[in-house]
Amino acid sequence: MKQLLSPILPLLLLVGSFTHTTAETRLANPFLGMWGLEIEGGGVGWLHVSEEKGYLDAELLWIGGSVLPVAHVYLADENTLVVTRTNTAKKSEDRSHTLTHTLRIVKSGDSLKGTMTGPSRAGEYQSHFTGKRMPPMPDKPDLADLRYGKPVSLFNGTDLSGWVLMNPNQANGFSAQNGVLLNDPVQPNNGAHVSYGNIRTEREFEDFNLKLEVNVPEGNNSGVYLRGIYEIQVVDSYGKPLDSHNMGALYSRITPSQAAEKPAGEWQSMDITLVDRHVTVILNGKKIIDNEPAWGPTGGAMSADVLASGPIYLQGDHGKVSYRNIVLTPIEK
């Protein structure tokens, strides 16, 4: 998945400063921890407020892209947290501006309510959001003790039965061709841009093992979302240094432990297990993520509710990619 850029919120943040707090403030700070955010008008966020050696800090996910450090964070009062994020806008060859987007967040119990404001072409925008404290992370599951149900084939090889376009106002670049689920989001030669959408399964699932094969042409990019919340990256990253945006990574959250990609244009196998909010990924027969916790949603998530069931969804707006042999096996509890 590439960085998803909002028209008013580019996602390149500057490394930020920190707010020093007293021991009394640290004890009273009600915002420490992780929060799932639901953004008015659609979109999901995640905020992690932490403290180390007396300094307040935070990481933020806002709709798309990566989890990134904020520019600044401070307590305005005992129930109000202020977070700023910044990006740089190039105005000319010799002049750039730093744009600041400010979140003002009020806490009530284990819920948040807030606004984000910042500059826009029309002057100033304002986005509203709500949030809830993330539930505690379960203990690491024993994968050897898992019980599986009956495997479910998610793609029949002949048509898109069982799949729907997530946004009916967008174009669908997916089609079934010779037993392959092909996404080919071609843009017309006349310059008119076509907005392609993602597809999702009609069915929703809880914990499961998902096996599939994928073929990524050179320079292309997609993603497989587990329960519509966690993206396993699909991208041509062969030969690149290890990174949390490489093939098989939990996007921007978990870096593969080893490089297991094949060159672009070759079929590759993925074996993914999601159970108790822990993720295991075996890419081309090599374990690259080993039962690691998924601390929150990734960019492009459908929901911040990490306890809810959800669909498998495939990104269709980034580039050409092919899938086949998509089989999900539920985990029984």
Side-chain angles (χ1 to χ4, degrees):
M1 171 178 172
K2 294 179 181 176
Q3 299 285 349
L4 301 178
L5 297 179
S6 157
I8 55 177
L9 294 177
L11 294 174
L12 296 175
L13 301 186
L14 298 179
V15 175
S17 57
F18 305 92
T19 298
H20 185 65
T21 57
T22 65
E24 291 79 8
T25 302
R26 290 200 302 273
L27 290 173
N29 188 342
F31 290 93
L32 294 178
M34 300 182 187
W35 303 84
L37 309 179
E38 298 283 356
I39 300 162
E40 188 177 277
V44 170
W46 180 84
L47 176 67
H48 177 204
V49 183
S50 60
E51 211 166 20
E52 184 176 356
K53 297 180 180 178
Y55 289 90
L56 196 61
D57 198 5
E59 301 172 286
L60 179 67
L61 169 71
W62 187 262
I63 302 178
S66 300
V67 176
L68 294 170
V70 303
H72 195 56
V73 55
Y74 65 92
L75 274 173
D77 58 51
E78 63 180 9
N79 284 314
T80 306
L81 186 76
V82 179
V83 177
T84 59
R85 57 183 303 175
T86 59
N87 65 278
T88 302
K90 191 173 181 62
K91 301 297 182 178
S92 65
E93 289 300 318
D94 57 357
R95 182 71 171 108
S96 296
H97 287 179
T98 297
L99 308 182
T100 300
H101 310 277
T102 302
L103 291 83
R104 193 169 188 89
I105 309 169
V106 176
K107 181 179 180 295
S108 176
D110 273 347
S111 297
L112 305 178
K113 189 173 184 179
T115 59
M116 179 188 272
T117 57
S120 72
R121 291 181 180 178
E124 184 180 63
Y125 73 89
Q126 185 174 86
S127 296
H128 298 270
F129 61 91
T130 58
K132 290 190 178 297
R133 188 177 291 279
M134 298 288 291
M137 179 63 67
D139 293 337
K140 183 172 290 192
D142 185 345
L143 302 185
D145 287 343
L146 298 181
R147 294 185 298 112
Y148 291 94
K150 183 178 180 181
V152 179
S153 178
L154 298 183
F155 174 56
N156 63 19
T158 59
D159 58 36
L160 269 63
S161 296
W163 295 85
V164 294
L165 194 63
M166 289 172 59
N167 181 348
N169 296 319
Q170 292 181 304
N172 190 352
F174 285 91
S175 62
Q177 298 186 19
N178 302 317
V180 170
L181 181 58
L182 170 67
N183 182 54
D184 192 9
V186 177
Q187 294 294 333
N189 294 324
N190 63 9
H193 180 78
V194 176
S195 176
Y196 285 92
N198 307 316
I199 62 171
R200 55 157 287 179
T201 57
E202 293 178 320
R203 292 183 60 177
E204 296 191 348
F205 307 95
E206 295 181 352
D207 289 347
F208 52 80
N209 172 263
L210 177 67
K211 292 182 174 66
L212 58 85
E213 293 177 82
V214 61
N215 189 317
V216 190
E218 184 177 358
N220 281 268
N221 183 301
S222 183
V224 177
Y225 280 76
L226 315 178
R227 297 213 323 255
I229 298 175
Y230 309 109
E231 182 194 5
I232 301 300
Q233 171 73 309
V234 172
V235 68
D236 170 27
S237 59
Y238 180 76
K240 295 182 178 180
L242 291 176
D243 189 271
S244 64
H245 302 85
N246 284 8
M247 183 75 166
L250 181 62
Y251 191 82
S252 91
R253 288 193 177 275
I254 302 178
T255 299
S257 60
Q258 59 178 317
E261 303 96 322
K262 291 183 180 180
E266 295 188 18
W267 283 101
Q268 307 191 55
S269 65
M270 282 188 164
D271 183 331
I272 305 163
T273 300
L274 174 65
V275 58
D276 292 341
R277 295 164 57 199
H278 286 70
V279 178
T280 299
V281 178
I282 300 171
L283 176 63
N284 299 320
K286 297 180 180 179
K287 188 176 290 185
I288 62 171
I289 297 178
D290 187 5
N291 206 10
E292 295 294 327
W295 290 107
T298 59
M302 297 171 61
S303 169
D305 185 355
V306 295
L307 300 182
S309 59
I312 302 299
Y313 101 63
L314 306 178
Q315 277 191 328
D317 59 341
H318 285 348
K320 189 172 183 177
V321 65
S322 298
Y323 294 95
R324 69 184 184 190
N325 299 328
I326 309 173
V327 179
L328 183 146
T329 306
I331 293 171
E332 296 181 340
K333 293 185 177 181

